[in-house]
Amino acid sequence: MTENPGQNPYGAPQGGYQQGGYPQGGYAQGQPAYFTKSPQQVDADKASQLSLVFGIIGLFFFGILFGPLALVQASKAERLGSAATAGRVLGWIGTVFGVLGLIWFVFIMIAFFSALASYPY
């Protein structure tokens, strides 16, 4: 039995691996793939973040002002297609706390001035 020294009996070419059907680097046409958002999605994300920020601020400072601002921004974000549940919930909580704080402040002022009016000079 004579062997032919120039041929590989397994059928694979000699000299290393043959390149497969995948492009080099895993990218189409050698360019990296980038994800870009549409302007509407950017506006929706911005409104969602603003509603969350306004909701958090409304829990601690001026809930009567920042609570409704959070609700408006959450509505805008949802209208544009982004979820803003946390901003909406914090906006409602801030609004309720702001209204209760305003009622408490008015009650304290009425009590103070009624006590002041009944004080004999």
Side-chain angles (χ1 to χ4, degrees), residues 31 47 51-52 54 58 68 72 93 102 112:
Q31 298 294 321
S51 72
L52 184 62
F54 286 156
V72 168
I93 292 171
L102 183 65
F112 175 75

Side-chain angles (χ1 to χ4, degrees), residues 54-68 70-71 87-101:
F54 286 156
I56 291 170
I57 292 173
L59 287 177
F60 300 105
F61 306 105
F62 304 112
I64 195 87
L65 173 69
F66 286 108
L71 294 173
R88 181 174 300 281
V89 169
L90 290 175
W92 277 112
I93 292 171
T95 302
V96 168
F97 283 170
V99 168
L100 290 175

Side-chain angles (χ1 to χ4, degrees), residues 18-43:
Q18 192 175 26
Q19 187 175 10
Y22 298 107
Q24 286 285 0
Y27 299 111
Q29 304 294 327
Q31 298 294 321
Y34 294 105
F35 176 72
T36 57
K37 293 183 177 182
S38 68
Q40 180 181 355
Q41 186 62 37
V42 171
D43 289 343

Side-chain angles (χ1 to χ4, degrees), residues 1 4 9 23 49 56 59 62 73 84-85 97-98 100 102 107 119:
M1 186 163 167
N4 188 352
Q49 291 172 359
I56 291 170
L59 287 177
F62 304 112
Q73 289 298 321
T85 306
F97 283 170
L100 290 175
L102 183 65
F107 177 74
Y119 185 73

